[in-house]
Each structure stands twice: as C-alpha cells, then as structure tokens.
Amino acid sequence: MFDLQRKPLTGMRTTWFLSMPTLLLFALVIAAPASAARPANALRHGQIAPAESFRATYGPDDMAAARIPLDPANVPADLRGLVPLAQYWGIRDDVLREGMQAAESQAKKKAMADTVNPHNSAITAWLDSLPAGEPMGEEAAAFMYMQLGLTEMKLFGEE
C-alpha cells in the first residue's frame, strides 16, 4: 500500500514543482500584512520630500512626543533657567518646529526671544565647547534647536 522505504523528495521534479507555488503563496501571506500596514505614499526614515508630505503624516501626538524631558544637571548653571524654554521650543524635527512656531502667538514668540537672546553668546560658547565628533546630548541639542528656531522666526539677537 505505502512504500515506507521510499526516501522523501525522491521525485524531485514533482516535489519542486509543487513546492514553488507553495513558497510563493507563503511569501505573499508573509508580505501582505507588512505592506498593508503602511500606506503606499507613506514616508520612510531618511526620505527627502516636500514639507507638505511630512506634515500630512504627523498627528497631534507627534508634537508632544517631540518635546523631550531635559535634565538641568546636564546644562551649565547659568543657563539652567532656560531649560523649560529649550524643552518647549527646542524641537529637532524641522517640520514640527515650523508648525509649532506658526501656531504660537507673536507675543509668546517675542517673550521667548526676549528671555533667550541675552544668553545667546553663553549658549553658543557652551555648544562650541562640546567635544567635536561626539554625539550631542539631548539638552545641548534642544538649546541648539531653540536658537535655530529664533533664527527661523527672525528673532535671534545677541546682547
């Protein structure tokens, strides 16, 4: 009735022919959920596209997620009073930073500039003192992006 002595895959032509459709079906089953999870026009890490393309992918929670808690101990003592402003304004994502700046009132922007501008030379000296070629800490990055935001809003000044 059954040949128990027959070795598996001895009919290689038939087995290969029958296994190829099975492999293709398996590949489709594996790949389908991955491709369905991301819209066809979704942006990927490192992709370059117009800002409008990026804005379309951001939701309201992205702004909150962009604000990283900062540790004042990692900031020079004379700049620690600016940590809350750096945490609020020092967003590293340019599209999110631009959107946040557009949403804020002119009075709030001016108040931030009036508070930060007297310290710009101290901030720049601190950033320049960081070791070259090493990753920048979150606190230093936030201060740098806060200064960049001032420049973008045409409010940067040194006193």
Side-chain angles (χ1 to χ4, degrees):
M1 180 181 281
F2 293 105
D3 184 6
L4 297 176
Q5 300 300 322
R6 184 173 174 227
K7 294 182 180 171
L9 301 177
T10 54
M12 193 60 161
R13 287 186 193 148
T14 307
T15 306
W16 179 83
F17 178 72
L18 292 176
S19 66
M20 185 56 76
T22 306
L23 288 174
L24 289 174
L25 180 61
F26 180 73
L28 285 173
V29 168
I30 296 299
S35 63
R38 179 181 289 276
N41 63 349
L43 299 169
R44 290 171 182 77
H45 178 71
Q47 186 174 359
I48 297 173
E52 294 78 34
S53 300
F54 289 102
R55 274 190 215 99
T57 63
Y58 288 133
D61 294 334
D62 292 316
M63 183 61 71
R67 292 193 172 109
I68 299 168
L70 304 177
D71 183 2
N74 296 331
V75 177
D78 58 329
L79 299 175
R80 288 184 185 153
L82 300 176
V83 168
L85 289 172
Q87 187 168 323
Y88 187 84
W89 293 92
I91 296 173
R92 67 177 65 227
D93 184 293
D94 56 339
V95 175
L96 285 174
R97 190 175 56 251
E98 178 187 312
M100 183 268 298
Q101 291 167 357
E104 295 297 341
S105 69
Q106 279 303 116
K108 192 168 185 177
K109 294 176 195 177
K110 184 175 180 336
M112 185 272 285
D114 290 346
T115 304
V116 174
N117 278 335
H119 302 280
N120 277 332
S121 58
I123 294 169
T124 302
W126 170 44
L127 296 175
D128 288 346
S129 73
L130 298 173
E134 291 187 23
M136 184 180 286
E138 294 294 340
E139 292 77 13
F143 274 79
M144 180 184 73
Y145 287 113
M146 179 174 63
Q147 283 188 315
L148 179 60
L150 283 170
T151 303
E152 292 167 344
M153 296 183 290
K154 298 178 177 38
L155 296 172
F156 186 87
E158 294 199 36
E159 294 180 15

